[in-house]
Amino acid sequence: MSAFEQHFTVGELAKTWRLHADTVRPWFRDEPDCLVEHHPETLHKRGYTSIRVPRSVAERVYRRHCSK
């Protein structure tokens, strides 16, 4: 994997695959090589997690879920 490989958001992948982001998100939550950034809750804003998925990981996970 290259540091300059194209990365996607979960929303972009869900739209491309015509699935809901809530369906796709768990596929990548614990997947190695994904960039996961946790944003803690603050006084006026809820906490959330950002996931960026490299193209090679997206292809691997998509193949895994299509072969089931």
Side-chain angles (χ1 to χ4, degrees):
M1 183 179 78
S2 168
F4 299 102
E5 181 177 7
Q6 183 178 10
H7 287 64
F8 301 97
T9 65
V10 170
E12 291 170 334
L13 293 172
K15 185 176 180 180
T16 300
W17 298 337
R18 296 183 178 170
L19 296 169
H20 197 278
D22 290 343
T23 301
V24 176
R25 189 173 293 107
W27 297 357
F28 296 102
R29 189 165 283 132
D30 297 320
E31 191 69 28
D33 301 325
C34 287
L35 299 174
V36 179
E37 184 177 355
H38 300 284
H39 302 271
E41 186 172 336
T42 62
L43 185 60
H44 300 289
K45 194 172 182 182
R46 67 174 177 82
Y48 65 96
T49 301
S50 297
I51 303 173
R52 297 293 185 265
V53 183
R55 177 182 292 277
S56 59
V57 174
E59 291 171 353
R60 177 180 70 216
V61 170
Y62 187 76
R63 281 193 306 269
R64 183 185 321 143
H65 284 275
C66 284
S67 66
K68 288 184 179 181

